[in-house]
Amino acid sequence: MEKKKRILTGDRPTGNLHLGHYLGSLQNRVRLQDEYDTFVIIADVQALTTNFDRPEKLSQDVMNVALDNLSAGIDPEKATIFIQSYIPEIAELTVYFGMLVTVNTLRHNPTVKTEMQQYGYKDVTYGFLGYPVSQAADIAFCKADLVPVGEDQLPHLELARKIVRRFNDLYSPVLVEPQALLSNVPRLVGIDGNSKMGKSLENGIYLKDEAKVVKEKIFSAVTDPSRIKISDKGNPQICTVFTYHKSFNQAEAVNIQEMCRAGSIGCVACKKNLAASLEMILEPIRERRRYYEERPEEVHEIIRRGTERTRSVAGETMEEIRAAMRINYSCIDSGKK
Ligand code: TRP
């Protein structure tokens, strides 16, 4: 039997996942878990880059992200969920990869730059500046072929590819060059019309939000501000609600666009319609969440098993890496039994 290709992707545990994550990456990882040997990383070390001063926050968020993935439809019988900090090989590989990247390359990473602005950092820690290197190690240790991600992760994928190529050229071709997989809607705007739905921007609809909350959020969303009466002709191109129709209600989006332009559907009816469409996606997710929330032991066991399997994969790759880099000293190892 031919070996399945691998996927590795995942999230920083810094809060709950929202529709932007769903569209950008979750949906793809769920869709592809039959076809690919799928690894889902809970990147708690990466989350420390901005939370190193409140580590107590992490343990709750690690569980939240595991629940979000399982609720979204990740099947623990098919996919492997693991915690980054439990794989010491990733830390080791990060150190080796650190030799293959210059500080200037990291400084020019557009996502790192945007995040520095967002967090108001004038200077950064070595750990923050270097997290894309650690992310390259996340991807390389399991020889992932494909990495489903949102658009903001593309610079990190580019770096991972560069590091892998450099490694393979310098030492020996052990590692696999990963491909990014974007969704057809790589970036979802926030309900406030802000360019990106973000955990820190308080403009998101979360997978765990109850139906009532989702409805309230949709009703507060920004539409075409020049539209006062129903009969006013609307401009869907500048309406946040319409961008959501395009992403979550594709079957009706064209029709709604026409009606809005003609002034024959009001914003209230349009928002109600969107809320109903979103429920078709969100209710099954909530149902799975209820199942797992009632069974925390099962969730712990899923993570335990996933982490164990991941360690064994990481151990194997690490042996190849050390051999390629000639940092396995046979004269010393021979005494080992
Ligand atoms: N940087 C990703 C995020 O912010 C999380 C992440 C960590 C990741 N390691 C990864 C994503 C490896 C894809 C592959 O959500």
Side-chain angles (χ1 to χ4, degrees), residues 8-12 41 43 46 131 135 138-139 147 149 153:
L8 182 133
T9 187
D11 317 276
R12 287 183 202 178
I41 185 171
Q46 192 173 114
Y131 90 73
Q135 185 157 331
D138 297 341
I139 296 168
V147 186
V149 279
Q153 300 294 305

Side-chain angles (χ1 to χ4, degrees), residues 20-208:
H21 297 110
Y22 182 76
L23 218 53
S25 168
L26 273 173
Q27 206 178 21
N28 271 336
R29 55 183 99 147
V30 171
R31 180 171 64 85
L32 295 171
Q33 64 184 335
D34 289 314
E35 202 184 321
Y36 286 80
D37 183 12
T38 300
F39 288 76
V40 178
I41 185 171
I42 304 181
D44 61 337
V45 178
Q46 192 173 114
L48 276 179
T49 56
T50 54
N51 287 291
F52 59 90
D53 50 352
R54 14 173 202 169
E56 69 286 351
K57 211 180 145 287
L58 278 184
S59 57
Q60 191 54 47
D61 282 338
V62 163
M63 287 308 294
N64 284 338
V65 167
L67 270 175
D68 276 329
N69 271 282
L70 292 166
S71 313
I74 287 293
D75 179 346
E77 296 300 321
K78 297 175 187 155
T80 305
I81 303 180
F82 70 97
I83 302 183
Q84 186 186 25
S85 62
Y86 275 46
I87 315 296
E89 288 83 358
I90 293 180
E92 181 180 354
L93 188 54
T94 302
V95 175
Y96 302 153
F97 278 179
M99 317 301 163
L100 309 180
V101 188
T102 69
V103 173
N104 270 340
T105 302
L106 293 170
R107 277 214 193 101
H108 292 130
N109 180 303
T111 299
V112 168
K113 284 209 279 201
T114 310
E115 285 171 341
M116 277 180 67
Q117 265 172 7
Q118 235 176 48
Y119 293 110
Y121 295 158
K122 290 213 171 54
D123 193 5
V124 267
T125 62
Y126 169 61
F128 185 91
L129 188 69
Y131 90 73
V133 182
S134 154
Q135 185 157 331
D138 297 341
I139 296 168
F141 87 82
C142 80
K143 303 187 180 175
D145 301 279
L146 203 61
V147 186
V149 279
E151 197 182 37
D152 60 330
Q153 300 294 305
L154 286 183
H156 303 339
L157 256 295
E158 222 19 78
L159 181 72
R161 292 162 60 82
K162 224 167 120 179
I163 292 177
V164 162
R165 279 199 295 268
R166 183 108 175 87
F167 183 100
N168 286 346
D169 281 350
L170 266 176
Y171 307 116
S172 94
V174 188
L175 300 178
V176 171
E177 222 178 287
Q179 294 282 344
L181 176 70
L182 287 181
S183 71
N184 37 6
V185 188
R187 182 182 292 244
L188 184 67
V189 295
I191 40 172
D192 55 358
N194 198 310
S195 67
K196 187 185 166 194
M197 190 174 276
K199 285 181 206 160
S200 51
L201 303 171
E202 293 185 12
N203 62 1
I205 293 175
Y206 289 85
L207 298 184
K208 69 179 291 196

